[in-house]
Amino acid sequence: MKGKFIVIEGLEGAGKSTAIATVQAWLQAKGLEVICTREPGGTPLAEQLRTLVKQADLQEQIAPETELLLMYASRVQLLRNVIEPALAAGQWILADRHDLSSRAYQGGGRQLADSLINAIRQAVLGQTRPDFTLYLDIDPALGLARAAARGALDRIEQEQLAFFERTRAKYLQIAATEPGIAVIDASQPLAQVQAALVEALEQAAL
Ligand code: T5A
């Protein structure tokens, strides 16, 4: 039997790392074998691309289209080498970000055309799609304050607030119009966020 593909999404500081631990514990309590991934990253080459796109002191501007292609280059490596074989072997994938991040950050934040992003998605992603996505929704100012409290900001985290507001708006627009995406209020205290995650998973009847 094929495994299932669960994705955690959200702006910086939304609490994705914390949510991964909650969801992983929920899945393991059901006796499921879970593989955790992150994007960009998750294979040796994809991790190098991650370092590149997050690097704050690059000597040149990264064009929005280049950024988009680097995200998809990383994603395809992870899909072909980790996600697809694991799902085929019946393992479950718990992903820290996936395709929705590109649609929100590069489509919303960078304002690249949906037609460009959809053409790339169609060309390179193949048939694999998440079975369920948990989107942790947070006011960008609060999320960035949490991220800043943790340490130095990377290249994308140094963007203006308006960039993250556009990214959030895109996340919310997609979550409101496409099936399989639960919106979790990530501004709540941690215990309430964790309870909301578990409730959404139970309701999803995976
Ligand atoms: N990107 C990525 C794109 O532009 N396009 C793409 O296609 C993809 C895949 C990746 C960057 O790349 C961009 C998006 C990103 O800018 P990343 O490290 O994966 O970078 O993502 P970040 O969002 O930067 O990861 P963070 O670690 O900042 O966010 P998390 O994981 O959401 O936050 P977390 O769990 O570490 O929590 C942050 C802090 O808040 C506290 C935690 O204890 C922690 O200190 N916290 C709470 N505090 C109070 N109440 C709660 N409910 C809390 N939950 C967490």
Side-chain angles (χ1 to χ4, degrees), residues 11-18 39-40 50 54 71 75 97-98 101-102 105-106 146-147 150 156-157 186 188-190 193:
L11 293 179
E12 359 287 296
K16 291 181 298 301
S17 313
T18 326
E39 292 187 31
R50 176 185 178 90
K54 290 180 70 114
M71 295 299 177
R75 180 162 305 128
R97 299 190 181 280
H98 187 56
S101 281
S102 294
Y105 280 81
Q106 281 66 52
R146 284 184 190 169
R150 220 185 22 200
I156 297 176
E157 288 166 347
Q188 305 176 92
L190 197 52
V193 174

Side-chain angles (χ1 to χ4, degrees), residues 18-91:
T18 326
I20 296 276
T22 303
V23 177
Q24 188 176 14
W26 186 84
L27 292 170
Q28 284 172 343
K30 296 194 172 307
L32 296 165
E33 200 181 330
V34 187
I35 292 182
C36 294
T37 63
R38 69 171 181 180
E39 292 187 31
T43 78
L45 174 57
E47 285 295 319
Q48 290 190 38
L49 295 174
R50 176 185 178 90
T51 303
L52 207 58
V53 292
K54 290 180 70 114
Q55 195 176 326
D57 59 352
L58 274 181
Q59 299 305 307
E60 65 181 286
Q61 274 300 107
I62 296 190
E65 292 83 356
T66 307
E67 187 177 85
L68 178 71
L69 292 167
L70 288 171
M71 295 299 177
Y72 276 96
S74 164
R75 180 162 305 128
V76 171
Q77 283 304 109
L78 184 67
L79 263 173
R80 299 292 176 272
N81 294 341
V82 178
I83 295 178
E84 289 172 351
L87 291 174
Q91 291 163 318

Side-chain angles (χ1 to χ4, degrees), residues 71-142:
M71 295 299 177
Y72 276 96
S74 164
R75 180 162 305 128
V76 171
Q77 283 304 109
L78 184 67
L79 263 173
R80 299 292 176 272
N81 294 341
V82 178
I83 295 178
E84 289 172 351
L87 291 174
Q91 291 163 318
W92 284 49
I93 296 286
L94 177 52
D96 185 341
R97 299 190 181 280
H98 187 56
D99 188 45
L100 186 52
S101 281
S102 294
R103 299 172 70 192
Y105 280 81
Q106 281 66 52
R110 299 276 184 235
Q111 299 177 289
L112 288 174
D114 287 345
S115 56
L116 170 66
I117 299 177
N118 285 333
I120 296 171
R121 297 172 71 215
Q122 203 118 28
V124 301
L125 283 189
Q127 300 303 313
T128 307
R129 296 287 180 276
D131 292 289
F132 190 50
T133 298
L134 292 151
Y135 164 59
L136 298 169
D137 182 53
I138 195 159
D139 183 314
L142 176 56

Side-chain angles (χ1 to χ4, degrees), residues 4 8 63 77 99 130 139 142 161 184 198-199 202:
K4 300 258 171 155
I8 311 282
Q77 283 304 109
D99 188 45
D139 183 314
L142 176 56
L161 199 55
I184 307 290
V198 169
E199 194 188 335
E202 303 278 2

